[in-house]
Each structure stands twice: as structure tokens, then as C-alpha cells.
Amino acid sequence: MLDQVHNARHNQFPAEALIGELCHDFIRLHGDRLHGDDPAIIGGIGMLESMPVTVIATNKGQTLPERLATHGGSPEPWGYRQALRLMQQAEKFHRPVLTLIDTPGAYPGKDAEDNGQAAAIAELLQASATLATPLIAVITGEAGSGGALALACGDEVWMTSKSMYSILSPEGFASILFKDVTRTSEAAALMKLTPDELLAAQVVERVMSVSAELPRQLRAALIEEFEMLQNLPPEELLARRQARFRKF
Amino acid sequence: MLKPQQATLDEATLKRAQTIPEGLWRTCPNCGTSAYRGRFGSLQVCPHCGFGLRLTASERLAQLCDCFDPWDEQLELADSDFPGYMVKRAQAQAASGSSESVRCGQAVIAAQPCALAVMDSYYMMGSLGQVAGERLCRLFERATAQRLAVVIVTASGGARMQEGIQSLMQMAKISAARALHVQAGLPYFVVLSDPTMGGVCASFAMQGDVTLAEPHARVGFTGRRVIEATLHNKLPASFQQAEQVMATGFIDAIVPRAQLKARLALLLQLHQEVCHA
């Protein structure tokens, strides 16, 4: 069980490199226009072959200074507000939105709390429900708690075969439920965080096998799905998305 | 050096002490002052600092409503294989008198009709699971269909761990129902009571048109201890207190419990025409 957790945290698909493999001509767009620029979020516009898409990815960084600056890929409120800004921009220009998720969760910091971490996530959850443009989320590593969900309220949620998606980190789960952080392995087994279990629970629609071919396969699958979603009348697109979450 | 004086009680005093019932004094969890329980009054507010003690859902309903017609009380959770969870649910039910961590229904608050939900922190710390999520989602759906304003009094530690990812999904489900309530042009008023944390704070608790809070209520996303452990630093006492959250711009007003009913009624009255539009 812990293998799954270990794999998911291995930063198998660093955000910047994966965006480069999926898209060409990616233009990075910074900042939330309200407070700052969060290095834990990479946002921008790129070409998925001939299709312009808005991409929003959580970023763990590669070097030690980057990993410190991004808090290991944990966004702060201004990162979530940047994501919202770019989603609304995509809606305005009828561009699909792709989110790439690899985050332990929203950053647990004082500034983050003082700047409304909860409110920033809440705003994304509400806005995603009525965002009139296709929205697909792909979990490429770990996806923990509301901080991951904020970027995963789309028409479809996919994950790689070596990723996980859970209500909280297994460590946090063990410390809350068992009051014992050493029981992480036991917690991870109870959490049903593997792709197969999540597929069975209809939390995700698709699991992509991890291989050297993954970026190419993912690009092809995204183009096909985005084209299908873009051909739906907006009311139907939104009705489908709302029904997707209504079933839980 | 003086010998510390030994406090001795005579037999009669000791005997009399034993006849005093337990629980006559209460200590306020906010300011730490002890007072005779009667001084907290029927609203259960600390006479020193104004902090409102945690209430069960029925106590809160009794304080706020002229009448309350419950919705979806019969919703049942499919049996869970999570170790010990079903036993814990039964205990929570006994402790709170609520059938889940939130009670929803149609209410009248000082002659103003609304769709009302009150959370019960005595039921597994008001945590959000599938039953609570379904009740809240239906609350917004019914309010949209019947053109009602929504009032929610939040009190929760966040998502319910025992229900795992299903619990996380409730945040998205309720938010979508609220989004459609917004599209119908209908108002939603939130009262943040102690505590409002985690996944509840990061979803419907922060989606109101007007956000009120009770004095000194703890409001935030990540718990204080987790942040202190991450930062290796102590946080100020004011951290995540409603007054501080208001100072940073996320709460409209702090309303003492004694004024809550009147304030909600006024807000509902001010938005009456919107609902009838």
C-alpha cells in the first residue's frame, strides 16, 4: 500500500516538463491581480496540437529553492485566485481548461489563513460548477484534500496509474483517527486512495498507465474529450458536470 | 521560612460539599473564566467574554426559530465497513440528540420564512459526511425550487474522515447546488459559529452573500496545531478568531448570540422581494 503513496509522491511528472510535452507555444501567465504570484501554480495558455487551451498546474518545483518557494506544491490563496482568474478568462474566450494536479494540499501557513485559504477554495468550488467551458482535471501524483479538489471539479477527472487522491494525507489521517502518525500504512489502506478503488467509486473516469508514452497518450485523449465536450450545448455541458457531482 | 498553611476542612463542611451537585460551575473555553452555570443564561453565553458555548442542533433551533419543519431526517447511510464507525455514529446520535451532524428544514425566524440548516458539533464534531452533504444539497435545491433564502449556522471540524473521499466530494456537490441557488438570484446568509474549520469552511461556509459570525468563534481552513507544527512557531491568540478573520476581510459582522435572531430576521426581510421576484 505504501508503494502507491511513495510513487505518487515521487514527482514523476514535474509540472513544467509535462506542460512542455503536452502543449507547444505555452505562454505562462502570472498572478492573481489581487495579492501576488504563487510559484506553486503554473498557469497559462498553450496549444494542444491545434487547440488553444488554458492550463493550470500545481508546481512542486525541481530544485531545493524551488521546492521551498512552492512549499512542495502547496498553493496559497493567491494561487487559487490565479487559477480562478485563468478559468474565467478561458470561459470568456471559449477555451477548454486543463488542470494538472500534484499537491499534498493547500499550504498550512499563517499568511494563507489570513488571506482566506478557505474562501479561495470555496470560491473555486462554486465557480467550477457553472463555468461554461470544458474542464478536465488530471491527477499526476498526489492529490490531497480540499486543496486538490479545488482544481478537480471538472467534467472529467483522470489520474495516472501511479497517483493517489484522498481526503487528507495518510499521515494526517492517521494522526486524526488513530492519534498515531506511525500507523500511516494502516491509514493508507483504509483510505481507498488507489486509482482502481477511485475508478470503482466513480470519483475518476479514467486511469492512464504510467509509461514513456503517457504524455502522448494523454494529449490524444484530451483532444478527443475536449472536442466532444466543446460540441455540447453549454446548458448540457453544465448539466452533465453538475450531475457528475450530484451523484456522490 | 514560614510553613505553608495547611488547608483543613472540618467534617461538616466536607459532608456539605458532597451534597453540592456536579456541573454548577462552567469554565468558558474561550477566556478560561469560571462562572455559576446560571450566569451563562438560556443562550449559553459566557458572562465575561461573550463567547457562545457550543449548542446542539435542537438548542440552536429553539433559540432561532418560531417554527421548524424538518426535511430529509430519514436519510440513511449505507453500512460502512470503516472500523468502529457505525458504533461511533450511534454514540454521536445519543450525545447530540441529532440524527446527523446537520439538521435542515423550512423555518420561520421572527416571522420571516427561510430554508434553514443548523450544524451540530456534538455529532462527531459536526463533520461533513454523505448524509449531511445530501441534506445540505437538498436544502439548496428545495430553496431554489421554492424561491427561499437559505440560512446556515455552521459548526464543524471539517470533512468526515471515516467516509474518506466521499466526504470530500460532498464539498463539490453542495457548492454546485449553491451555484444554482445563486443563478436563481436567491440570497444565502451564513452564521459562523465555533468552530468552522476545514472542508466546511472551504465550501458552503464561505459562499454566503452575507457572512456573520458569533464572537470569538474559531474560523479557518487548517487547524492551528498543524500550522504551528509546520512553521515551528507559536501563533498569536487572536489567530483564526472571528474578530481577526473579520479584520482580514472575510466576515461582514460579528453578532452576539442575543441579537442573532433579530439580525437574521432583518436580513431576510431586506431580501424578501428578491425571493418573490
Side-chain angles (χ1 to χ4, degrees), chain A residues 113-114 122 126 173 246 248, chain B residues 134 141 173 221-222 240:
Chain A
E113 290 292 321
D114 286 345
Q126 188 183 315
F173 193 86
R246 184 65 186 84
F248 293 111
Chain B
E134 184 65 23
E141 289 171 346
K173 180 170 90 174
F221 183 58
T222 309
Q240 292 179 333

Side-chain angles (χ1 to χ4, degrees), chain B residues 91-103:
Chain B
Q91 289 167 345
Q93 212 155 347
S96 64
S98 293
S99 56
E100 247 293 345
S101 60
V102 66
R103 295 188 65 196

Side-chain angles (χ1 to χ4, degrees), chain A residues 104-238:
Chain A
Y107 183 60
K110 184 175 183 297
D111 283 355
E113 290 292 321
D114 286 345
N115 282 280
Q117 188 72 283
I121 294 170
E123 206 174 6
L124 263 176
L125 299 185
Q126 188 183 315
S128 301
T130 50
L131 190 84
T133 199
L135 173 53
I136 296 179
V138 182
I139 297 164
T140 62
E142 59 180 329
S145 101
L149 177 72
L151 300 171
C153 291
D155 303 297
E156 299 239 327
V157 180
W158 301 348
M159 64 196 296
T160 70
S161 56
K162 290 188 175 177
S163 65
M164 65 180 195
Y165 187 13
S166 56
I167 186 173
L168 193 64
S169 71
E171 291 81 2
F173 193 86
S175 94
I176 288 182
L177 270 181
F178 306 138
K179 315 270 178 250
D180 181 359
V181 77
T182 62
R183 289 168 71 183
T184 300
S185 188
E186 195 183 332
L190 278 172
M191 291 173 81
K192 301 185 176 150
L193 47 67
T194 64
D196 286 346
E197 287 164 309
L198 294 164
L199 196 61
Q202 296 179 294
V203 173
V204 299
E205 276 80 13
R206 201 184 290 218
V207 177
M208 315 280 300
S209 294
V210 170
S211 74
E213 288 297 287
L214 184 125
R216 194 188 54 77
Q217 287 167 349
L218 179 58
R219 189 197 314 130
L222 284 169
I223 290 168
E224 191 187 340
E225 192 66 30
F226 275 142
E227 277 174 352
M228 191 280 287
L229 292 169
Q230 272 200 307
N231 283 328
L232 295 175
E235 317 77 67
E236 199 184 324
L237 176 79
L238 293 178

Side-chain angles (χ1 to χ4, degrees), chain B residues 21-246:
Chain B
E22 287 289 319
L24 281 185
W25 286 78
R26 295 192 78 161
T27 303
C28 170
N30 180 61
C31 67
T33 314
S34 293
Y36 171 59
R37 66 180 293 166
R39 290 193 59 210
F40 284 78
S42 60
L43 295 177
Q44 304 199 45
V45 171
C46 171
H48 295 280
C49 71
F51 177 77
L53 299 180
R54 292 176 186 179
L55 301 174
T56 65
S58 6
E59 287 169 330
R60 178 70 76 176
L61 288 171
Q63 289 188 10
L64 285 181
C65 302
D66 308 342
C67 62
F68 179 75
D69 183 14
W71 288 333
D72 304 309
E73 296 264 325
Q74 303 311 318
L75 284 177
E76 285 289 337
L77 186 75
D79 272 356
S80 161
D81 56 2
F82 195 94
Y85 182 35
M86 296 319 266
V87 176
K88 201 151 193 173
R89 286 174 61 84
Q91 289 167 345
Q93 212 155 347
S96 64
S98 293
S99 56
E100 247 293 345
S101 60
V102 66
R103 295 188 65 196
C104 301
Q106 182 157 2
V108 178
I109 298 177
Q112 299 294 323
C114 66
L116 173 68
V118 297
M119 301 190 81
D120 193 327
S121 59
Y122 288 92
Y123 191 107
M124 298 186 74
M125 199 24 90
S127 57
L128 178 68
Q130 282 175 278
V131 173
E134 184 65 23
R135 282 187 187 170
L136 287 162
C137 183
R138 290 190 192 184
L139 177 88
F140 278 112
E141 289 171 346
R142 286 175 197 260
T144 305
Q146 298 178 26
R147 293 208 64 80
L148 286 169
V150 169
V151 174
I152 302 184
V153 184
T154 59
S156 176
R160 181 160 315 156
M161 293 299 137
Q162 290 86 346
E163 293 185 31
I165 198 85
Q166 293 293 340
S167 174
L168 195 68
M169 294 299 125
Q170 303 308 312
M171 295 165 61
K173 180 170 90 174
I174 300 162
S175 298
R178 164 58 181 155
L180 297 179
H181 187 251
V182 170
Q183 282 194 334
L186 293 165
Y188 164 33
F189 310 123
V190 181
V191 180
L192 305 168
S193 81
D194 184 74
T196 299
M197 299 295 295
V200 165
C201 198
S203 59
F204 58 93
M206 286 288 155
Q207 292 167 349
D209 292 297
V210 176
T211 308
L212 309 177
E214 290 202 317
H216 316 303
R218 200 156 48 86
V219 176
F221 183 58
T222 309
R224 173 195 198 94
R225 265 177 305 154
V226 176
I227 299 177
E228 286 181 337
T230 309
L231 304 180
H232 306 293
N233 226 333
K234 283 274 168 208
L235 291 161
S238 63
F239 183 67
Q240 292 179 333
Q241 284 225 335
E243 291 72 12
Q244 177 63 24
V245 180
M246 180 168 156

Side-chain angles (χ1 to χ4, degrees), chain A residues 39-56:
Chain A
I41 293 283
I42 297 179
I45 314 165
M47 295 297 287
L48 212 55
E49 289 183 2
S50 61
M51 179 188 285
V53 293
T54 289
V55 183
I56 299 159

